[in-house]
Amino acid sequence: MRFAAGMILVDASHSALNMLGIDETTPERTVTRVKKLRKGSLSYPYVSPQAWRYWWRKTLAEHFEWNLSPMFREEKQVFTAANPIEYPDDDVFGYMRAIKKGNVNITVTRMSPLKNSPLISLLPDRSSVTPDEGYASRHEGDPVPYTQEFYSTVLKGVFSLDLDFVGRFTIIDKAGFKNLLSKDEISKLPKSLSDVKSEYESILQKAREMNAQIDDREIFMPKEIRKKRASEVIKALRYIFGGAKQTQYLTDITPKFIILAMFDGGINPFVSDIVYEDRGEIRFDSEALISRILEFKEIINPRKLFIGKDKGFMRGWKDELEKVKDSLTENGVEVAVTTVGDAIVKFAEEIEAYYD
Amino acid sequence: MMRVKIKSWTASFRYPTFQSGYQPTLPVPPLSTIQGILSAARGEIVSFKEIPFVGYVFMSEGKGIDLERIYALGKTETDVMRREVLFDNTLYLYLPDEWKKYFKKPRFQLLLGRSSDIATVEKIENVELEERVNIPVGGTIVPVVSGLPGLVHALPVEFDYPTIPRRAKTVKPFTILPFPRNAAQRRRQTYSGKLLYDLEIDIGVWFYEGLHGEV
C-alpha cells in the first residue's frame, strides 16, 4: 500500500469560487452568498470537494489529453461509461453504475482512489468576506440593485491518492470493489442484456489489447499506464483552473504553497493546523509540521518531504521552512524546499518510481 | 486499552430516514460508521462480534450546508440538493491494544463519512479509564434501555458488504447523545449506573461489548 498525500494553499485574493445562491432569508432576496461553514460565532468560506474534483478532472482533459468518460442516459439514469480500462477518469475518480433488469442486478461501483477535502478558508468571514453592492443598469430604465458576496482569503485543501488502486480493478462482491463484471457473469448474462454483454466483452477485449494482466478477481493495467495516470493526477495541480465568477475575479487557483509526501498508510498528516490564523494573519507552524512528520516517520516512504512555495506568497515563511528542513534532515527525512512547480515535478517522479 | 484520536476538517453521517431533498447529518457517527473506520484501518470488513469491546466519543466544532448536484432517479435533468456537513471534528476510539498496529498503518484512507471527509490519526496512546457512577456521557449513541433522554433513532449497527449496494445487516434503536457543551446538558446526560470515565476528556464512555446482535 502506498498513498500520495498532500496539502495545498490557494491564494484566493479576490474570489467567489463556489456560491450558495440567493439568500432567501433577506426581505429583498437579492443577496447571493458564498458557501460557508460555521464554527461558534464565526463562519469560514469554502469550496465544495466536488467542485475541486470537477476542476481537477477538467484540467486533466485539457492539459494531459485525458479522454474523459462520456455520460450516458439510460432508463432515466445518468452515469459515466464505468469503463476504467479505456477512460482514465473512471479509473481515478471512481463511479457507480446501477443496472437492474428483471432479476439481474449488474451494478458496478468503484471507490475513487483520489480523495480530496473541500477548500476551506483560513480566515473567518468577518475578515475575509465582503458583500458587494451592484446595480444592473444600462442608460435606459431603472437600475436593479443586487448584492453578491466575495472573499479575500487563503484556502486550504488536502488530498490522498491510493497508488495501489490506480490502474487496478477488482471484481470482488463488495460495495466499491466490484469495479467490473467477471468473465463468468458476462457469459451468463441473459439475451435481454445482450447490449451489456457485448459492452463488457469489448471492455475485456480492450484490456487484452492494452496488455493488461487479467485474472478472475483483478485486472492490472500495464505499469506504464498506471504510472502515467497517477503522476499526471499530481502534475495537473500545476495547471488546475476553474471556479465560479472567473470573469469578474480571475482567480488563479493553482497552489501557491504545497506539501507532498508518500505514506504506507491511509492517513493524511496534513489534516491539522500546520497553517493557521492568528489575529487576521496567516501563519505557518514549523513545529506542527515537524512533529506530524516525525510521528509518521515509520510509514513515510520514501523518507522525503516536498515543500513548494511561490516566491511572492507569504515571504515571511522562509525561515520557518528552513527550520523544517534542518530539523527533519537531522531526523533522517530528506526535505526539498523549492518552487511549487518543481515540488510537483519531483514528487511526480517519486510516484513514477513506485510502479517500477 | 488504547485510545486513538482521529481528526478531520469535515464529517458527515447519513440520517437514515432522509432519502431525498435535504440531507442532514447525524450529530455523532452511528456504529456502522465505526465499523467502516475499523474496516478501513484493518483492510478488511470487521464485524463487531470479533471485537471484545469498543467505545467512542465524537466532537464537532461547527456545521455548514453544502450544495450538491445530483442525478436523481426518474429524472434526466439534474437536481441540486442541500447537504449538511460537520466542521472541525475529533473522534476518540477506545479499543483493545491489538488495534494499535492497524491505526499506525491504515490499509485504506481513513474517512469520517464520505470520500471528502479525509481524516488523520493524531495520537495513539494507552489509557486507563476508571469506573464511576453518575457521570455525563455524550458524543456517542447509547442503547435506549440506558434511560438517558435524547433523540431516539433506528440506526445501522453493521452493514453487509457482499450485496451491491451494501445493505444494513443489523438496525437497532439508539439514543443519540451529542457531546455535552454546557452544565445543563451535562446534567441531562448524566448516567446513574456505572461507566468508565475518561478523565482527560471529562466524559463517560459507553462501551459496547460482544456487540453482534446484542445491542
Side-chain angles (χ1 to χ4, degrees):
Chain A
M1 68 181 110
R2 190 70 64 85
F3 298 85
M7 184 192 97
I8 67 160
L9 293 183
V10 173
D11 189 12
S13 51
H14 37 73
S15 329
L17 295 165
N18 204 202
M19 309 299 285
L20 188 66
I22 299 280
D23 186 349
E24 299 285 346
T25 61
T26 61
E28 305 86 10
R29 301 202 174 176
T30 53
V31 185
T32 311
R33 300 222 185 268
V34 294
K35 289 183 178 177
K36 283 176 218 139
L37 293 163
R38 182 175 43 74
K39 187 160 127 178
S41 60
L42 300 173
S43 289
Y44 294 80
Y46 76 97
V47 173
S48 291
Q50 61 272 21
W52 186 10
R53 292 173 79 75
Y54 178 78
W55 306 341
W56 212 327
R57 200 189 280 243
K58 286 280 178 200
T59 304
L60 282 159
E62 197 96 344
H63 286 267
F64 297 91
E65 286 163 6
W66 277 28
N67 184 14
L68 296 189
S69 186
M71 299 285 271
F72 289 108
R73 284 183 176 179
E74 261 178 45
E75 295 236 332
K76 299 175 181 168
Q77 278 191 67
V78 185
F79 31 68
T80 69
N83 177 355
I85 308 273
E86 196 155 355
Y87 302 109
D89 63 323
D90 271 347
D91 178 354
V92 170
F93 293 87
Y95 49 80
M96 173 162 181
R97 183 179 183 176
I99 312 177
K100 199 175 179 186
K101 279 187 181 167
N103 283 331
V104 198
N105 181 6
I106 39 169
T107 298
V108 286
T109 59
R110 175 165 171 81
M111 204 160 27
S112 172
L114 176 67
K115 297 180 173 67
N116 65 268
S117 71
L119 298 170
I120 306 171
S121 169
L122 283 159
L123 300 175
D125 62 344
R126 67 171 180 208
S127 46
S128 62
V129 176
T130 305
D132 178 38
E133 312 281 347
Y135 292 91
S137 88
R138 292 291 178 268
H139 291 296
E140 294 149 30
D142 295 329
V144 180
Y146 67 92
T147 306
Q148 57 179 5
E149 286 187 341
F150 76 105
Y151 41 76
S152 182
T153 186
V154 171
L155 304 168
K156 61 174 181 178
V158 285
F159 65 87
S160 169
L161 178 66
D162 188 333
L163 299 179
D164 277 337
F165 274 89
V166 175
R168 173 187 176 186
F169 314 120
T170 49
I171 310 167
I172 305 166
D173 277 332
K174 196 167 106 182
F177 292 87
K178 194 180 176 69
N179 300 160
L180 293 162
L181 296 182
S182 68
K183 259 190 250 171
D184 208 32
E185 282 167 309
I186 298 168
S187 67
K188 280 184 192 152
L189 285 173
K191 272 218 175 93
S192 60
L193 289 170
S194 60
D195 51 334
V196 178
K197 189 171 178 171
S198 60
E199 194 188 323
Y200 272 96
E201 274 164 355
S202 72
I203 289 178
L204 275 184
Q205 181 54 32
K206 184 85 189 174
R208 280 189 285 269
E209 280 166 25
M210 292 172 96
N211 283 325
Q213 182 194 322
I214 305 173
D215 66 36
D216 290 344
R217 287 166 60 86
E218 273 175 321
I219 296 178
F220 284 91
M221 297 301 278
K223 74 174 182 201
E224 287 309 316
I225 291 180
R226 299 179 74 193
K227 197 190 267 193
K228 184 171 181 296
R229 289 180 180 178
S231 67
E232 285 179 351
V233 169
I234 302 300
K235 285 180 196 161
L237 284 170
R238 256 183 104 175
Y239 309 105
I240 197 160
F241 71 99
K245 310 248 174 224
Q246 288 289 26
T247 318
Q248 288 168 43
Y249 300 116
L250 194 62
T251 317
D252 176 12
I253 58 158
T254 59
K256 291 292 177 295
F257 181 77
I258 194 163
I259 312 179
L260 300 157
M262 284 199 267
F263 296 91
D264 284 333
I267 43 94
N268 187 321
F270 312 124
V271 183
S272 56
D273 298 324
I274 294 164
V275 180
Y276 65 103
E277 188 233 341
D278 180 29
R279 282 163 288 183
E281 296 279 329
I282 292 166
R283 297 183 190 279
F284 174 79
D285 186 349
S286 57
E287 291 304 317
L289 179 59
I290 293 164
S291 71
R292 293 299 278 147
I293 294 300
L294 292 182
E295 219 155 300
F296 295 102
K297 205 177 151 191
E298 305 299 308
I299 59 166
I300 182 166
N301 189 7
R303 286 198 177 178
K304 287 180 185 171
L305 184 72
F306 300 87
I307 303 176
K309 189 176 89 61
D310 193 281
K311 222 172 177 184
F313 180 73
M314 301 292 167
R315 289 170 197 274
W317 291 5
K318 209 170 155 253
D319 295 346
E320 291 289 301
L321 291 173
E322 283 306 312
K323 271 190 219 163
V324 173
K325 188 173 176 157
D326 294 345
S327 171
L328 288 179
T329 311
E330 244 170 64
N331 284 285
V333 179
E334 204 182 298
V335 182
V337 180
T338 174
T339 61
V340 172
D342 191 47
I344 289 172
V345 168
K346 285 194 171 120
F347 188 63
E349 280 168 15
E350 292 293 336
I351 287 177
E352 289 179 358
Y354 173 65
Y355 294 100
D356 283 328
Chain B
M1 77 178 77
M2 68 98 149
R3 181 181 69 195
V4 49
K5 183 181 183 187
I6 296 171
K7 291 206 83 155
S8 80
W9 291 345
T10 55
S12 54
F13 311 115
R14 212 178 79 88
Y15 232 110
T17 42
F18 287 77
Q19 292 295 341
S20 63
Y22 182 48
Q23 192 93 78
T25 171
L26 291 167
V28 299
L31 278 161
S32 56
T33 300
I34 305 299
Q35 182 202 13
I37 293 166
L38 297 179
S39 303
R42 201 170 77 176
E44 57 192 349
I45 305 294
V46 172
S47 174
F48 284 120
K49 73 179 157 195
E50 37 174 321
I51 306 172
F53 63 88
V54 59
Y56 64 95
V57 173
F58 175 83
M59 291 168 223
S60 172
E61 304 287 331
K63 244 186 210 183
I65 303 271
D66 195 9
L67 297 180
E68 200 170 280
R69 181 181 291 179
I70 56 157
Y71 298 99
L73 271 169
K75 272 189 185 173
T76 41
E77 68 270 31
T78 57
D79 258 342
V80 173
M81 66 180 252
R82 297 190 306 143
R83 180 188 291 282
E84 202 178 38
V85 285
L86 299 168
F87 182 37
D88 277 358
N89 316 291
T90 310
L91 172 71
Y92 290 96
L93 283 174
Y94 302 82
L95 289 159
D97 288 343
E98 72 249 31
W99 277 85
K100 256 186 199 168
K101 59 176 184 285
Y102 302 125
F103 281 98
K104 272 192 174 157
K105 208 174 167 176
R107 172 60 193 89
F108 294 108
Q109 290 129 324
L110 294 184
L111 306 169
L112 290 187
R114 315 202 318 150
S115 65
S116 53
D117 305 321
I118 297 176
T120 195
V121 173
E122 207 169 78
K123 210 185 266 178
I124 304 172
E125 55 194 334
N126 293 324
V127 285
E128 289 290 331
L129 305 187
E130 75 182 73
E131 208 170 59
R132 286 197 190 175
V133 287
N134 290 323
I135 46 167
V137 50
T140 190
I141 60 170
V142 296
V144 177
V145 293
S146 67
L148 286 160
L151 180 68
V152 174
H153 215 293
L155 296 173
V157 177
E158 281 197 1
F159 272 101
D160 228 357
Y161 283 84
T163 56
I164 294 167
R166 60 178 196 181
R167 197 176 294 146
K169 185 158 67 179
T170 321
V171 179
K172 301 265 173 185
F174 291 95
T175 306
I176 299 167
L177 298 176
F179 191 80
R181 292 282 171 202
N182 52 46
Q185 206 181 347
R186 288 180 75 84
R187 254 194 322 275
R188 232 180 3 254
Q189 291 181 196
T190 294
Y191 182 65
S192 56
K194 274 190 208 160
L195 267 189
L196 286 171
Y197 175 73
D198 191 325
L199 189 74
E200 204 180 312
I201 311 170
D202 190 19
I203 195 79
V205 184
W206 195 278
F207 275 89
Y208 289 98
E209 291 173 27
L211 190 68
H212 190 66
E214 301 295 318
V215 184

